[in-house]
Amino acid sequence: MKKFGAAIIAFILCVTMCACKSNSAGGGGNSIDPAEYETDGKFITVADLPPNPLSESALGQYKELGLNTVLLTEDNVTFTQNGKITDNYKQAIRNIGASGMDVWIRNMYNDEDYFVNTGANAERERSNYGTPYTMEERNITSEFDEFPQITGYFMSDEPFMTTDMPQTVYGKQYAAMDRYGKLVEWKNTYAPAAFWHMNMVPSKSLDHYLGHTYKEFIEYYVNNIVKNVAAGCGRSVCLDNYPFSDLSPDHISDSYLVDIMTAATVTRDYNQTAPEGKKATFGICLQTFKNTSPTEKLRYPQSSADVTFQMYTGMATGARLFEYFCYNSLSAFGVYGLVDGLTPTQAYAFVKEANRQALGMEKVLCGFDWYNLVTCAGADDSEPENDVAFTGVASMLKPEKGVLKSVTARRDAIVGCFKQGETDGYMAVNFSAPSKKLSNQMKFDFGDCTSAIVYRNGAAKVEKLLSGKYQTTLAAGEGIFVIPVK
């Protein structure tokens, strides 16, 4: 009798404990804890055409945007003199570090000889996108070891695929990717723990990969450079494609999502087999400038929604690196950024507000791995250029969607699919042009899930689900991250 009673008590205790465990993991009660899914991971946020690193006020203004990394260029300081790193360059490194931000050394000319430039032809005239330059002879090796502030290197922007590409637009061109083995070897030897960053052109720059597809172009970079960067450091797969032009007001470029998804899927596929110490970080450039080019006329952001739209689209495709182009204006070239000198443009305020809203998503997204995207044409309002984009990415989509059974939207939307172990997560984005200022009602079916943790502007809220259904409205340029729980 005593044995029987003990068995009953043990059974009751087991059932109670199991029920509590299920509840604490998200069984529909108040014990669901969003913190269980969060990490201390951070996005990398960096702007090209950076502030003057010798000016404390300029660095402070830059940091106020919410950015955490500064490119060290030669716009305000000279790299070397008589073969040695200059005192001003070293002071710039210290200043950036003292501001609380990381330093990335910028290969100013995208040149394979930037750090080690020796030999009889070292000081020959070269060309960077048609602009002539020379570099003095130098042999920089371990000199950066004294500066822990340096966490990465921006090795090249918009390189050609190979040196045999016709370079008729810019004349004699700097080394293409097939010449960058020297840079990889230098970094592996003298800066093995630092982040490796390069940025690729959009698909419309056909001359950079003539005779190949855009996917082959991105794969070439991954197979010939990313894989060869030594283990134990970060490395990026990043591209620029700017979605907003005055030539097509209130429209999103139809190549925007296609290019992003091409690079995102190449990164994902590489990471699936890459050793842990060699996995790549996907990144995108954000349009935070305008230009006066008659063929493009890329416009300034007209609101913070124009910026969050780009950030959330990147997040929905797995991006954890955001490169803002650009910070300082180059009026001589018809390019206008976030500041003119120390005077903020209107776009500065838009980017600051966008970062305040969106960057808080890093605490949850950095704990999840992206694997797929779902496109959702608007039931009431589908934009024609998005039809082209959605058709363009269709072959890149996987059938796997986790617990997501279906999703519908009043206007065009995208939903990124993520995993953290066995837990599913979904990044939903209003994919209507933000300048139209249209809200988007979305409906999700998460099967037998009873609750959902919803992150909006970085803040988490637990929502009850009825028969697995979740409904929400996203403002123009808005995105949310949803974790359904049973």
Side-chain angles (χ1 to χ4, degrees):
M1 186 68 179
K2 290 181 179 180
K3 291 181 180 180
F4 181 71
I8 293 177
I9 293 172
F11 175 76
I12 293 173
L13 286 173
C14 178
V15 171
T16 303
M17 290 174 67
C18 290
C20 290
K21 182 177 181 181
S22 175
N23 198 42
S24 66
N30 294 327
S31 58
I32 297 175
D33 184 5
E36 293 182 12
Y37 304 98
E38 297 173 4
T39 72
D40 58 0
K42 297 291 182 183
F43 294 144
I44 297 170
T45 51
V46 60
D48 207 353
L49 304 185
N52 183 350
L54 299 180
S55 168
E56 183 178 342
S57 58
L59 288 173
Q61 188 177 43
Y62 178 92
K63 186 177 181 180
E64 284 179 5
L65 283 175
L67 309 182
N68 57 29
T69 303
V70 179
L71 301 179
L72 182 50
T73 69
E74 294 190 60
D75 295 307
N76 298 284
V77 294
T78 301
F79 181 21
T80 65
Q81 187 172 21
N82 298 322
K84 305 296 182 183
I85 299 176
T86 66
D87 290 340
N88 276 349
Y89 198 89
K90 292 179 180 180
Q91 188 58 49
I93 296 171
R94 297 188 187 99
N95 288 355
I96 296 170
S99 73
M101 296 182 286
D102 291 338
V103 179
W104 278 10
I105 302 297
R106 175 71 159 91
N107 181 339
M108 194 67 181
Y109 305 109
N110 310 298
D111 197 303
E112 75 269 24
D113 300 325
Y114 191 69
F115 301 102
V116 178
N117 183 36
T118 58
N121 296 319
E123 298 187 18
R124 71 186 186 278
E125 184 174 287
R126 304 162 188 250
S127 171
N128 184 30
Y129 273 88
T131 301
Y133 70 96
T134 59
M135 296 190 303
E136 69 169 13
E137 187 169 359
R138 59 183 173 233
N139 185 23
I140 302 302
T141 57
S142 59
E143 286 88 338
F144 288 127
D145 288 353
E146 65 175 292
F147 299 106
Q149 304 93 330
I150 299 173
T151 63
Y153 290 80
F154 188 173
M155 288 300 198
S156 183
D157 186 39
E158 299 191 331
F160 278 74
M161 182 172 170
T162 58
T163 51
D164 61 354
M165 297 289 169
Q167 296 164 8
T168 57
V169 177
Y170 303 106
K172 184 63 179 175
Q173 188 62 33
Y174 63 88
M177 284 190 278
D178 60 349
R179 296 286 298 277
Y180 281 168
K182 183 176 180 180
L183 286 174
V184 173
E185 182 180 357
W186 182 91
K187 187 199 168 296
N188 289 348
T189 303
Y190 300 110
F195 195 94
W196 170 284
H197 178 57
M198 285 176 60
N199 181 59
M200 302 295 115
V201 294
S203 62
K204 65 183 178 182
S205 298
L206 296 171
D207 59 333
H208 282 60
Y209 59 96
L210 197 64
H212 298 270
T213 66
Y214 189 62
K215 180 182 179 183
E216 289 171 340
F217 173 63
I218 301 297
E219 287 177 332
Y220 184 92
Y221 166 62
V222 169
N223 292 330
N224 292 275
I225 295 179
V226 170
K227 285 183 178 180
N228 292 329
V229 173
C233 71
R235 72 282 319 274
S236 68
V237 178
C238 185
L239 77 154
D240 59 67
N241 184 322
Y242 303 120
F244 306 128
S245 171
D246 281 331
L247 297 177
S248 300
D250 297 330
H251 289 293
I252 303 162
S253 168
D254 58 20
S255 68
Y256 180 65
L257 185 63
V258 179
D259 282 11
I260 288 177
M261 272 293 288
T262 299
T265 54
V266 170
T267 308
R268 176 201 64 200
D269 294 347
Y270 162 75
N271 283 340
Q272 287 176 345
T273 58
E276 191 60 38
K278 299 189 75 169
K279 293 187 184 299
T281 298
F282 177 55
I284 65 169
C285 289
L286 303 175
Q287 181 179 341
T288 61
F289 74 106
K290 72 171 181 177
N291 69 17
T292 55
S293 166
T295 58
E296 292 187 289
K297 287 191 176 180
L298 297 173
R299 63 167 174 80
Y300 262 139
Q302 298 173 348
S303 66
S304 60
D306 273 348
V307 183
T308 56
F309 167 81
Q310 298 175 73
M311 298 175 76
Y312 289 136
T313 297
M315 293 179 200
T317 51
R320 297 183 185 177
L321 185 158
F322 298 95
E323 181 182 329
Y324 301 66
F325 189 83
C326 59
Y327 186 73
N328 272 305
S329 296
L330 283 179
S331 55
F333 293 91
V335 175
Y336 301 89
L338 301 180
V339 298
D340 288 313
L342 286 176
T343 304
T345 64
Q346 187 178 25
Y348 180 97
F350 293 151
V351 171
K352 185 176 181 179
E353 174 59 20
N355 285 346
R356 186 194 67 79
Q357 294 178 30
L359 291 181
M361 303 294 271
E362 64 190 0
K363 64 186 175 186
V364 62
L365 283 171
C366 286
F368 282 76
D369 293 319
W370 178 81
Y371 70 91
N372 196 19
L373 188 78
V374 176
T375 58
C376 185
D380 296 339
D381 182 11
S382 180
E383 301 179 39
E385 71 276 11
N386 287 347
D387 294 342
V388 176
F390 288 177
T391 299
V393 302
S395 64
M396 307 180 206
L397 309 183
K398 292 175 172 287
E400 296 85 3
K401 295 180 291 186
V403 297
L404 178 63
K405 305 302 180 185
S406 65
V407 56
T408 58
R410 182 181 179 187
R411 311 186 193 283
D412 292 342
I414 59 173
V415 181
C417 303
F418 295 76
K419 281 282 190 181
Q420 184 187 93
E422 297 301 315
T423 301
D424 293 295
Y426 302 93
M427 185 78 203
V429 182
N430 180 349
F431 209 75
S432 64
S435 57
K436 291 183 176 180
K437 301 179 181 179
L438 300 173
S439 61
N440 195 355
Q441 187 180 68
M442 299 187 68
K443 298 178 181 180
F444 303 81
D445 182 351
F446 293 120
D448 59 355
C449 293
T450 58
S451 299
I453 305 171
V454 180
Y455 286 82
R456 194 183 297 261
N457 295 335
K461 182 179 180 181
V462 178
E463 303 270 6
K464 291 284 190 180
L465 302 183
L466 181 61
S467 300
K469 307 296 192 299
Y470 173 65
Q471 181 172 314
T472 190
T473 299
L474 301 183
E478 189 175 22
I480 59 172
F481 189 70
V482 183
I483 306 173
V485 290
K486 296 181 179 181

